[in-house]
Amino acid sequence: MNTTAPLQIADPLGVPGAPQETLTAMMAHLERFHSGGAVGQLILVTDRQGDRDRAGYAVVLITGPVVTVAAQAFGPRYGQPGMQALEQLVRWAQDHEWLVRETVLNGSDFTRVIDEPDTTEIRKLVAASNPSDPGIYLVWPAAWKEERWQD
């Protein structure tokens, strides 16, 4: 991301706490990039550090100057639908060779930045993000293992 170029930030996609609706909105949005072969970054944003089994994620997608924010609706905090949505989104990023990154924000910053993103906050979020192993987002919480095995 060029730190001097103006960013184009759209209103957040999806519905907070609604994994399937948010994933559907994200996948429809991502189709635009799939056909053009665009390269981008998937930044997973959470307000929990070291507690992946209960984490919830919002998403920031960056392709050139275009920034897309998705509501907090991914991950185990939102039950099995949240984990399925997170898994599908991360697999999409892997399949398209997008970088997967993560950042942790405190609770009040998390809500403000995701609900009302602006250029300064997004630049700070990107700068604070770290490369992440996509595989860690594909591991279901330990408490769910037996239940998932029965699926």
Side-chain angles (χ1 to χ4, degrees):
M1 180 175 85
N2 184 336
T3 57
T4 58
L7 297 177
Q8 301 166 21
I9 303 173
D11 289 335
L13 292 175
V15 178
Q20 200 53 53
E21 291 86 346
T22 303
L23 178 64
T24 299
M26 288 296 295
M27 297 312 286
H29 180 73
L30 286 169
E31 282 304 311
R32 293 184 0 188
F33 301 111
H34 172 67
S35 60
V39 175
Q41 297 180 55
L42 170 72
I43 302 175
L44 299 167
V45 185
T46 187
D47 61 352
R48 287 192 184 259
Q49 187 163 357
D51 191 9
R52 291 195 191 286
D53 283 0
R54 289 184 283 202
Y57 297 93
V59 174
V60 174
L61 299 172
I62 300 175
T63 50
V66 178
V67 176
T68 306
V69 177
Q72 48 186 316
F74 299 93
R77 179 181 301 162
Y78 306 104
Q80 287 189 356
M83 265 314 291
Q84 290 167 344
L86 177 63
E87 185 175 356
Q88 189 171 344
L89 190 59
V90 169
R91 287 191 193 283
W92 187 97
Q94 284 183 299
D95 291 346
H96 293 85
E97 299 180 0
W98 283 32
L99 296 173
V100 176
R101 302 178 65 87
E102 180 181 277
T103 194
V104 179
L105 298 176
N106 70 47
S108 61
D109 287 342
F110 180 85
T111 300
R112 180 176 41 78
V113 171
I114 298 305
D115 291 350
E116 299 176 15
D118 71 23
T119 300
T120 301
E121 294 289 355
I122 293 297
R123 288 187 192 283
K124 287 179 184 177
L125 182 145
V126 172
S129 69
N130 294 299
S132 191
D133 177 355
I136 65 176
Y137 307 103
L138 306 177
V139 177
W140 287 58
W144 295 2
K145 284 185 180 176
E146 186 174 322
E147 188 175 330
R148 183 145 192 233
W149 173 80
Q150 294 174 3
D151 286 345

